[in-house]
Structure formats: structure tokens, C-alpha cells
Amino acid sequence: MHADISSVNSELGKHLSPFYLEHNYIIPSKLLLPHDSYAYISEAWHSTSQLDHCFSSSDTHGPLSSMNILYNLAVSDHIPISFSVKVERLPEVFVGNEGVCQSNLNWSNVTKSELRSYSIKTEELLRKVVLPNEAIRCTDPNCANMKHKVDICTFYDRIIRALIESGKPLHKVVGSSNIKLAGWNMYVAGFHEQAQVATREWAQAGRPRQGPLCKKKKKLTHARYK
Ligand SMILES: [Zn+2]
């Protein structure tokens, strides 16, 4: 993400702050980097600022560490940021319908050639994802255009599907597709599927904050697992 969130004069910063507050995102680049860090050098103003930020949900923040700004690698006005991800500490992800992501992928078991095939396949599949140009260029933070909302949801969905598809062979290698959770099918799978359908319907309707679809989605995604 690219905005000066510390400045009240930054147009993008004004949009970005409500966005991360609304979604309870954490800004690891703010927490893990020294306060005097900068990732942007303005030659015109002879000044530096911290414009480039990483956002994460609270459960993915834990696995992040050793964040650095690579000042010695600066080749443009923006300076690269590096960080480590302890993949074994990433939260579990369940994608019931796909049947392959029942567990985290153990990346340390993936060989270089498998990683290479994964990277080629990922690039091939992501190239096919059509950019919804009009929706992406829309700058209205309170946009009510239903087509924009549906296009963004579809775009996101296609990226996720492409990544799941290219990761499939790696799951077979490490055998994690066979991992079953005790009681999952008997007690939870049905509700999980209903919750997924409700979430999809809600997303396709433009993620309304109220109304029957929103209520149904909330009911199925929050209440039944507890
Ligand atoms: Zn729009």
C-alpha cells in the first residue's frame, strides 16, 4: 500500500486509514520498523517519508519478522522493504469445496524444481485473469456502482482460484490433502458449505452492510461453529 498515513494532508492517507481501521488490519511496517524509517525519497522536495506500508490481519502479523528497508538497494525514489514470514506459523485455511487446501502447505518440503513449476503455472494462470480496469480505476471510496463491486469480487475470486490451482500439485507431494480433522465432516462441513454459499451470495450482491443477505451471511459464518 502506498500512502502517507501519518499526514492529514495526504489524499490517499485519508482513504487508507479508515480502510485499515474498518477491517482491523495491522500495519507491520509501522510496528516492526524504527520510527525514523523512510521508504521514499522526494528529489523535488529534498525530503524523505514513509509512504510504503504492508498491511496484515492480526493472525498473519505474528509470523512476520525481521522487517528491513533495503537502503543499499534503492534504485528509484521508492526503497524496497523486506521481511520474513514464518510459514509454519501462518493460520490454517480451509477451502472445503476445493478439497485440496485442508491444511497449510509446508513450503520447506517443496523442492526447487517444484517451486519453479509452481511459479510458471502461477504466472500462466494469473495472466488469464482479466483486470476489471474500470472498477480498479474508480477512485470513489464510497462507490455504489454495483458492477464495480461485482467486478472486484470476481477479480479477487479468480486470483484465489488461480493460486489454489497452481498449488494443487504441491499438496499432493506433501500428502496434506489426506489430512482429515476429527469430526469435521460429521459436525461442521455442512454448516461450512452453507456459510461459504451465503458468503458468496453476499459478496456477489456487493457486500451489503445490512439486509437479508448480510444477516444470513453473519448468522452462518459466526454463530454455527460456536
Ligand atoms: Zn466505483
Side-chain angles (χ1 to χ4, degrees), residues 42-194:
S42 166
E43 289 194 1
W45 299 98
H46 300 288
S47 64
T48 58
S49 48
Q50 180 53 307
L51 287 187
D52 302 308
H53 296 282
C54 309
F55 281 54
S56 81
S57 56
S58 52
D59 52 357
T60 47
H61 176 67
L64 304 183
S65 64
S66 32
M67 187 168 275
N68 285 299
I69 297 184
L70 308 175
Y71 296 104
N72 54 332
L73 292 184
V75 287
S76 76
D77 47 359
H78 287 273
I79 307 169
I81 300 177
S82 75
F83 54 88
S84 303
V85 183
K86 292 198 177 76
V87 285
E88 70 278 7
R89 284 176 55 196
L90 282 173
E92 294 273 324
V93 177
F94 295 101
V95 184
N97 290 347
E98 302 296 335
V100 287
C101 289
Q102 299 288 319
S103 141
N104 281 349
L105 191 52
N106 188 347
W107 289 97
S108 58
N109 284 349
V110 174
T111 66
K112 272 193 176 167
S113 77
E114 283 160 354
L115 201 57
R116 175 102 188 109
S117 315
Y118 169 77
S119 144
I120 292 170
K121 187 75 186 162
T122 302
E123 187 168 340
E124 178 198 320
L125 293 174
L126 286 181
R127 273 173 191 276
K128 291 183 191 160
V129 177
V130 182
L131 282 178
N133 282 318
E134 190 191 301
I136 287 176
R137 290 207 188 107
C138 174
T139 53
D140 180 359
N142 301 311
C143 171
N145 184 326
M146 193 54 86
K147 187 175 180 305
H148 287 185
K149 294 184 178 188
V150 171
D151 282 356
I152 293 282
C153 288
T154 310
F155 178 53
Y156 171 80
D157 210 44
R158 286 183 180 156
I159 292 173
I160 299 297
R161 280 176 189 283
L163 294 175
I164 288 174
E165 187 59 35
S166 53
K168 270 183 185 172
L170 304 182
H171 278 277
K172 274 180 202 140
V173 169
V174 297
S176 54
S177 60
N178 294 325
I179 291 175
K180 295 270 185 286
L181 290 182
W184 173 260
N185 279 334
M186 195 185 299
Y187 300 110
V188 190
F191 292 138
H192 181 65
E193 206 166 307
Q194 285 178 34

